Amino acid sequence: MFELVFSRRFSMAHRLLAGSSERCALPHGHNEYVRVHLRATTPAPLDGGTNMVMPFERAKGVWHGFIDNHVDHALQLAEGDPLLAWFRTHEPGRAARIMVTPGDPTTELLACLLMAKLNAFLAADGGALSCAAIEIEETPTNTVRYTGDPLAVLPQPRAAPHCWWRRADMTLADT
């Protein structure tokens, strides 16, 4: 079976409050790579003409725009992080660049949220492809790979149908 594989680099900042790492509780950043593996939802033989599952530009266009224009240089904060309330009160224009996550914005959670968002984009484009796997390289020595249904492992009940990661739009938060 063919897979279309696309990579993108983005910079981000986050902080993790729930764990025991004091270093990670302070805002800090990473230069990350995200690699997605797309598969046809209904595999078929090549057609003898175009011989493509889907043109690359169509398969990756919206996704790359989302990563480049919204995820890149976004601050990732948990929905209960007091910094989020501060930004919403004092710098509401910049608050739109904050990715709001259900709990600490770990690389594991980010992989599931981004995979769900990509699947929403793909479904809105007719559903010919779905994301079979996603890898996020947080550092040169730490990578998270997820395969499966991201909605099955996201914190509940916050995986409701209206959440930003289930919508085929460019949002990073629900408020």
Side-chain angles (χ1 to χ4, degrees):
M1 178 179 305
F2 292 105
E3 285 190 348
L4 305 181
V5 181
F6 305 116
S7 297
R8 213 63 174 170
R9 179 188 169 277
F10 63 94
S11 298
M12 53 75 79
H14 69 169
R15 71 180 192 153
L16 308 177
L17 297 176
S20 60
S21 173
E22 186 57 33
R23 287 179 60 175
C24 291
L26 292 173
H28 62 284
H30 301 277
N31 292 312
E32 300 193 338
Y33 290 87
V34 59
R35 177 175 293 113
V36 297
H37 301 253
L38 308 183
R39 286 190 188 149
T41 54
T42 308
L46 296 175
D47 65 11
T50 62
N51 290 322
M52 290 186 266
V53 175
M54 179 182 285
F56 282 150
E57 189 56 37
R58 179 176 169 193
K60 68 182 181 179
V62 172
W63 174 248
H64 282 188
F66 176 68
I67 296 296
D68 293 349
N69 300 316
H70 300 279
V71 175
D72 186 40
H73 282 80
L75 174 60
Q76 300 171 7
L77 295 176
E79 61 195 358
D81 191 312
L83 281 180
L84 183 58
W86 187 92
F87 271 100
R88 286 178 172 159
T89 300
H90 300 285
E91 295 190 41
R94 289 193 172 114
R97 296 277 305 142
I98 298 174
M99 179 185 289
V100 181
T101 63
D104 274 352
T106 63
T107 305
E108 294 88 342
L109 179 64
L110 182 62
C112 290
L113 294 174
L114 291 181
M115 186 181 204
K117 187 72 161 185
L118 176 54
N119 279 331
F121 289 139
L122 294 169
D125 187 34
L129 297 171
S130 66
C131 186
I134 188 167
E135 299 168 24
I136 299 180
E137 180 182 301
E138 180 183 85
T139 68
T141 59
N142 296 332
T143 298
V144 169
R145 177 181 169 92
Y146 182 74
T147 60
D149 179 4
L151 300 176
V153 297
L154 286 171
Q156 298 295 327
R158 294 176 276 194
H162 67 277
C163 295
W164 67 263
W165 54 86
R166 296 186 72 167
R167 295 192 307 260
D169 59 26
M170 298 296 162
T171 57
L172 297 172
D174 289 326
T175 55

